[in-house]
Amino acid sequence: MTTDGVRASTQMVGILGWPVRHSLSPVMHNSEFRRLGLDYVYLAWEVAPEFLEQAARGLRALGAVGYNVTIPHKQAIVTCLDELSAEAKMIGAVNVVCLKDGRAIGYNTDAAGWRDDIEQDIPLAGRSLFLIGAGGAARAVAVGACLAGVRRIVICNRRYETAEALAEILHHHFPKLQVECGGPTSGECHQRIRECEVIVNATPVGMAGHGGSPIPAEWLAPTHYVYDTVYTPAETPLLRAARERGCKTRNGIGMLVRQGARAFRLWTGVDPDITEMEKTLVRALTSSGSPEGT
């Protein structure tokens, strides 16, 4: 985006992450701001974890309207905020912050955005879900899945204690849910994935700069539906392996669009066009000619 339309009156929103230069959120939001004639600009701020608190204070002082939060800040940002929405409290992670009247309010739109996207393909009620990861994105997926009525979640995470912490949260809010934990190299996870219909990667593994697959390709079977929350590259190693084994797949572009549309509404009070936002992202990914942009 050029700065041709930026004026002294322009209101500022953006995204905090580390890394974040690959993000396509600025393209998506700025295109929709222009289409709707809104005097806003969306920027990307690459903030190392040790500077997160200072960045949050600075944006408040500068009069920003709000910002998105992405990896690895979705949980750490909570301590920088004055208030959390009910869903953000349940998830324990924030991906949207609104700054209003001197207060910072945290929301989580990832859960609803992911649920709305995946259920275009497959209803979740009554299904078993194999969840890779236990961080902020994984918490949102897990809560979104529970609210959609899944009966069982298997959490596969490198750090077992983090998976257990997420399992405890889910047990607290959804006592009838069956939750199990394991590590990505464990025989238990290999066995349990066979019993699940839906596989979701909620880690950055497979993202540009984070190559590889979070699980061995041989764990996949044609009966699996595989969703990767990563959206650059458009086909991650996990999704490619799944497609080659006959699985139905979806990447995280739709989740990004749907959570982004909710953030857009929170900041501006205006409903964006989800179809237009998704077209913008697809064009941006196609024109880049490489997996180096999100």
Side-chain angles (χ1 to χ4, degrees), residues 19 23 46 60 112 127 134 143 147 171 216 222 231 255 258 280 292:
S23 178
E46 197 160 76
R60 193 186 304 214
R127 297 191 185 274
V143 169
L147 291 173
H171 273 305
Y231 55 95
M255 177 183 177
R258 285 160 179 79
T280 297
E292 291 302 320

Side-chain angles (χ1 to χ4, degrees), residues 26 105 132 167 184 249:
I105 304 170
I132 307 166
T249 66

Side-chain angles (χ1 to χ4, degrees), residues 105-120:
I105 304 170
Y107 299 84
N108 194 300
T109 63
D110 280 335
W114 172 78
R115 184 175 67 246
D116 291 346
D117 190 45
I118 192 173
E119 287 203 319
Q120 293 183 95

Side-chain angles (χ1 to χ4, degrees), residues 190 193-194 215-221 241 245:
H190 188 190
I193 199 171
R194 297 174 184 173
I215 58 171
E218 55 267 25
W219 285 18
L220 302 170
R245 283 160 177 76

Side-chain angles (χ1 to χ4, degrees), residues 33 57 83 132 174 246 289:
F33 289 150
R57 287 202 307 266
E83 184 182 339
I132 307 166
F174 306 96

